[in-house]
Amino acid sequence: MAKQFYIKTFGCQMNVYDSSRIADMLQQKGYTPTVHQNQADLVIFNTCHIREKAAEKLFSDLGRAHLIQLEREEHGLKTIIGVVGCVVQAEDEQIIKRAPFVNFAVGPLMYHKIGQIIDDIEQKSDRQNFIYTDFPAVSKFDFLPENKAQGACSYLAIQEGCNNFCTYCVVPYTRGVEYSRPINDVITEAKRLLATGTLEINLLGQNVNSYHGEDSNGKERNLAYLINKIAELDGIKRLRYTTSYPADMNDDLISCHHNIDILMPYLHLPIQSGSDKILKAMNRRHNSADYLRIVEKLYAANPTVRMSSDFIVGFPGETDADFQATLDIVNRVKYIQAFSFKYSRRPGTPAATMENQVEEKIKKERLDVLQTLLFDYQTKFNKSCIGRTMPVLFEQTGRHKGQLIGRTPYMQNLHITTKRDNMNKIIDVVVTEATTNSLSGKEL
Ligand code: 5AD
Ligand code: SF4
C-alpha cells in the first residue's frame, strides 16, 4: 500500500499555500494524503510563530504525535515526524530539545529539501534529526512541483518575506527579506490554476503590494502591472490580493479597483492601531491620517470597496487615549471584517524588551471592547446585505443535504440549499438572512 502523509497547518494563508505545495511534492513521491493522523507514515506540522499561543499549540500536538508514533512502533510501523514553518526558523534547537523524537525540522524557505530529507530518513535505521533553516540564495518556488488548482478558489504566492520590521513582528526574521517571484513564473502558475478549474485567484504575500517582480526583460514591475496581466487571462472570474501594507498602496494599484471589474471590492489593509504614537513605536511607515487618505482614495476609485483590518491591543505604552484612537478609526472606517489580537511578546523583536508593557488584564479588557465594536459593524454590514442579489462562488458542501457554502465578493460565507449542481460555479443569490458570521440566501 502507498505510504500516507498527514499535514496539520497552523497560522496564515501563506502556510496554507505552503502546505498544499508540500502535499503536491509528497504526492509526486508516491505518498497519498490521509486525514487520519494514526494511519500516517509521515506526519508534518506546519507551524506559526506570530503569537505565543500559536507556537505553544505545536508542543501539545507533538506530544500526541509521539504517543501515536510509539503505538505504531509496537505494530512494526515507522512514523516520520516533521516540523516545518516559522517556529522552526525561530526555535529549531528548542524543538529538538523538547521533542527529540522529531525527525526533521525545516524552515519556510527550505521546503524544496523535504523530499531528499525523507529519502535519507527512510534509508537510515539510526535516529538522526535533520534541521534546515538557511535563508538560501535560490528561491524555493523554482524547485517545488507545479501548483494545481485545489478547487474553484486558489492561492498563488507571488511574494514572500518582509522588510518592514514592525517592532512586534517575527515575520522578517522567520520568512526573511522580501522576495518577489518573476512576472512570467506567476503568469504560468496562474494559467495552470485556471486550466485546472480555478475561477478565483488570491495573490498572496506577507507584503503583497510591495511586489516588484521582474518581467522577461529584467524590468521590475509592480502589483498593479501584474494584476492587469492576470485579469486578461482566459477563464479568470475573480481576483484578490492579500495582505497589503498601507504605505505601499500606490495610485496605480488604487486605480485597479476602478478599472478592473474582476478585482473584488474587498481589501484587507491592516492598520494595527489608531494612535499615531503607537504606530510610530510599532515602526509603521504610516500614521492614521495617511491611512484614512488611502481609504478615501479607494472609495473614490470604487465606492463599493469595503475594508478589513488587523488590530493589536495592548502594545507597550498604549494608554486609554491611544486605545480610544483605535476605536475612533474603527468608527470612521466601519470595517466589515477584522482580526484583533492582544499584543504578544515575541523574543528577538524590539517591542519585547520595551519597558512599558501593558498588563494582561487591561489587554483582555481592551480586546473585549474592540471586538464588540468590530462584530457590531460586521453584523450591520451583513444585515445590510439582506434583499441584495450577490454573485456567490460555491466551493464547499454544507452539513445538510443539498447545502452549499460559497463566498460573496466581500468574503462573507453564504449558505444555500439547492437541488442544482452549483458547486464550483458563480451563481446570483438573493440574501435572505444574515448573522455576524454568515449569510443565507436563495438562487434567483
Ligand atoms: N502580537 C500580537 N499580534 C501580532 N501580529 C503580528 N505580530 C503580533 C504580536 N507580536 C498580528 C498583526 C498582523 C497579524 C498577522 O498578526 O496584527 O497583522
Ligand atoms: Fe510583520 Fe509588519 Fe511585515 Fe506585516 S508588515 S509581516 S506586521 S513586519
Side-chain angles (χ1 to χ4, degrees):
M1 201 175 111
K3 292 207 164 149
Q4 295 189 297
F5 70 93
Y6 168 90
I7 303 186
K8 179 160 180 183
T9 308
F10 301 87
C12 65
Q13 283 146 347
M14 190 61 94
N15 267 10
V16 175
Y17 174 84
D18 283 339
S19 288
S20 83
R21 303 300 302 273
I22 293 169
D24 289 343
M25 183 169 68
L26 295 173
Q27 277 166 292
Q28 242 184 16
K29 285 181 73 63
Y31 277 79
T32 56
T34 175
V35 291
H36 305 293
Q37 194 182 331
N38 56 359
Q39 290 172 15
D41 306 280
L42 169 62
V43 175
I44 294 182
F45 297 103
N46 191 358
T47 60
C48 172
H49 199 244
I50 200 111
R51 284 170 294 275
E52 193 177 348
K53 245 203 199 141
E56 271 309 308
K57 268 196 222 142
L58 169 68
F59 289 100
S60 61
D61 273 31
L62 279 176
R64 216 161 341 110
H66 189 207
L67 291 180
I68 297 172
Q69 190 185 42
L70 293 173
E71 202 179 303
R72 283 170 51 91
E73 219 166 80
E74 280 175 19
H75 296 93
L77 297 167
K78 191 170 163 175
T79 315
I80 299 176
I81 300 179
V83 183
V84 304
C86 293
V87 176
V88 175
Q89 201 64 41
E91 301 187 3
D92 51 345
E93 312 250 309
Q94 285 95 311
I95 292 173
I96 301 298
K97 226 187 259 160
R98 276 178 76 173
F101 51 87
V102 165
N103 301 90
F104 68 88
V106 177
L109 288 105
M110 295 295 280
Y111 293 155
H112 49 288
K113 291 276 177 205
I114 293 176
Q116 181 62 45
I117 295 169
I118 290 167
D119 289 345
D120 288 352
I121 296 172
E122 279 178 343
Q123 276 153 27
K124 288 201 174 86
S125 52
D126 56 329
R127 285 208 59 87
Q128 196 185 338
N129 308 114
F130 293 82
I131 303 180
Y132 284 86
T133 51
D134 297 351
F135 283 152
V138 293
S139 156
K140 69 178 179 190
F141 296 109
D142 295 340
F143 295 92
L144 288 167
E146 295 180 346
N147 189 14
K148 291 199 192 69
Q150 312 281 321
C153 300
S154 293
Y155 291 120
L156 199 176
I158 64 168
Q159 184 273 338
E160 182 164 24
C162 185
N163 295 347
N164 285 325
F165 290 93
C166 299
T167 51
Y168 51 83
C169 185
V170 291
V171 166
Y173 312 96
T174 58
R175 292 270 173 177
V177 292
E178 256 179 59
Y179 166 77
S180 293
R181 296 176 70 189
I183 295 273
N184 279 349
D185 289 12
V186 175
I187 299 285
T188 306
E189 191 166 323
K191 281 185 180 160
R192 200 161 45 233
L193 292 172
L194 294 167
T196 48
T198 286
L199 302 176
E200 172 177 311
I201 294 181
N202 198 336
L203 303 173
L204 271 191
Q206 262 95 28
N207 196 350
V208 74
N209 59 340
S210 80
Y211 175 86
H212 52 91
E214 285 186 4
D215 68 11
S216 47
N217 299 317
K219 186 169 166 151
E220 283 197 352
R221 300 293 194 167
N222 64 15
L223 180 60
Y225 177 92
L226 181 64
I227 285 176
N228 274 284
K229 288 277 165 218
I230 294 179
E232 286 167 7
L233 298 178
D234 281 344
I236 182 126
K237 297 282 190 283
R238 288 180 165 191
L239 191 53
R240 305 178 188 273
Y241 58 97
T242 194
T243 294
S244 295
Y245 186 79
D248 294 322
M249 257 348 270
N250 59 38
D251 289 347
D252 279 1
L253 185 55
I254 291 173
S255 67
C256 290
H257 286 275
H258 178 74
N259 299 331
I260 298 177
D261 55 356
I262 62 157
L263 192 60
M264 291 294 102
Y266 171 75
L267 187 68
H268 185 55
L269 192 66
I271 185 166
Q272 312 295 355
S273 165
S275 153
D276 291 343
K277 181 191 92 189
I278 295 297
L279 289 171
K280 195 150 186 259
M282 286 176 164
N283 192 34
R284 303 282 292 183
R285 288 182 286 112
H286 60 86
N287 59 27
S288 56
D290 298 332
Y291 184 91
L292 289 172
R293 255 193 309 276
I294 296 160
V295 173
E296 286 308 319
K297 278 190 185 177
L298 279 158
Y299 289 163
N302 181 346
T304 68
V305 168
R306 293 292 175 271
M307 317 289 301
S308 71
S309 179
D310 295 340
F311 295 93
I312 296 177
V313 298
F315 184 83
E318 188 187 71
T319 60
D320 283 342
D322 294 318
F323 177 59
Q324 184 57 47
T326 297
L327 300 177
D328 292 345
I329 211 106
V330 172
N331 286 320
R332 286 287 291 273
V333 181
K334 302 182 172 52
Y335 295 97
I336 64 165
Q337 270 147 54
F339 300 95
S340 44
F341 314 99
K342 287 184 286 183
Y343 167 69
S344 166
R345 238 168 145 164
R346 309 308 292 127
T349 59
T353 50
M354 288 180 182
E355 274 169 9
N356 37 11
Q357 300 286 329
V358 173
E359 257 179 75
E360 188 57 30
K361 184 170 157 277
I362 295 178
K363 284 189 206 172
K364 191 178 175 314
E365 281 168 12
R366 289 184 185 161
L367 188 67
D368 285 348
V369 172
L370 176 61
Q371 290 189 335
T372 303
L373 186 65
L374 289 168
F375 286 149
D376 198 30
Y377 281 114
Q378 182 170 328
T379 312
K380 272 198 189 111
F381 179 71
N382 286 351
K383 294 226 182 266
S384 78
C385 295
I386 295 176
R388 277 172 70 176
T389 302
M390 291 176 129
V392 178
L393 172 47
F394 289 99
E395 44 163 349
Q396 252 187 73
T397 50
R399 256 181 294 157
H400 307 294
K401 193 166 173 275
Q403 196 182 42
L404 291 179
I405 306 169
R407 295 262 195 191
T408 71
Y410 296 104
M411 287 290 243
Q412 298 146 297
N413 279 322
L414 185 145
H415 304 245
I416 57 167
T417 304
T418 180
K419 290 200 170 64
R420 293 189 213 150
D421 176 21
N422 286 342
M423 198 56 178
N424 298 326
K425 288 182 193 156
I426 297 174
I427 305 286
D428 277 340
V429 173
V430 183
V431 180
T432 52
E433 282 170 59
T435 65
T436 306
N437 294 316
S438 69
L439 308 178
S440 326
K442 285 197 165 62
E443 297 148 282
L444 273 188

